[in-house]
């Protein structure tokens, strides 16, 4: 029972880590493209919608995260009139999703191995 509790708490921590990584990569993206006006607010909105796309995609079917996450990233950028081409927005959205999920999954698998659940 104790290991189940640790695994659930660890899973919740890694959800927070995933959002943090998405937020960090979105901030780097916006800074790289010269966005300085309301950077924190724009980063939060972009990260929140991208995270929502990833989450819904993971719930529906795992591959959906790689479709809905970049799509949410792209649509949010279009809504904020960011100076980025459509191709770059989709490419960067996919990069943010893949990098965030890869780092989080690697850490979570290491966590599960550490607690003996894997």
């Amino acid at each position: 029972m104790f290991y189940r509790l640790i695994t659930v708490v660890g899973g919740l921590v890694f959800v927070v880590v995933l959002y943090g990584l998405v937020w960090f990569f979105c901030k780097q993206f916006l800074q790289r493209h010269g966005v300085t006006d309301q950077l924190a607010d724009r980063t939060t909105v972009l990260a929140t919608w991208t995270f929502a796309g990833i989450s819904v995609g993971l719930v529906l079917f795992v591959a959906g995260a790689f479709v809905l996450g970049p799509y949410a990233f792209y649509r949010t950028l279009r809504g904020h009139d960011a100076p980025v081409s459509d191709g770059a927005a989709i490419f960067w959205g996919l990069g943010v999703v893949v990098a965030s999920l890869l780092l989080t999954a690697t850490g979570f698998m290491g966590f599960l191995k550490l607690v003996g659940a894997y």
Side-chain angles (χ1 to χ4, degrees):
M1 180 66 182
F2 182 67
Y3 284 116
R4 289 181 185 164
L5 181 64
I6 289 174
T7 304
V8 168
V9 170
L12 292 174
V13 167
F14 277 100
V15 168
V16 172
V17 168
L18 176 61
Y19 180 80
L21 285 169
V22 169
W23 188 89
F24 174 75
F25 289 134
C26 287
K27 182 178 180 185
Q28 295 301 315
F29 169 80
L30 291 173
Q31 285 177 335
R32 176 173 239 180
H33 285 87
V35 175
T36 56
D37 185 42
Q38 300 174 342
L39 181 62
D41 292 338
R42 286 182 172 192
T43 300
T44 301
V45 169
L46 183 59
T48 301
W49 280 106
T50 303
F51 181 78
I54 292 170
S55 300
V56 170
L58 285 174
V59 168
L60 295 176
F61 52 102
V62 176
F66 300 103
V67 175
L68 293 177
Y71 179 73
F73 184 90
Y74 167 77
R75 294 299 302 164
T76 304
L77 279 179
R78 290 298 118 219
H80 287 282
D81 296 326
V84 181
S85 70
D86 291 344
I90 293 170
F91 173 75
W92 275 89
L94 183 62
V96 165
V97 170
V98 169
S100 299
L101 284 175
L102 183 66
L103 289 171
T104 304
T106 302
F108 190 61
M109 293 308 274
F111 169 75
L112 290 177
K113 187 146 183 93
L114 182 70
V115 298
Y118 174 66

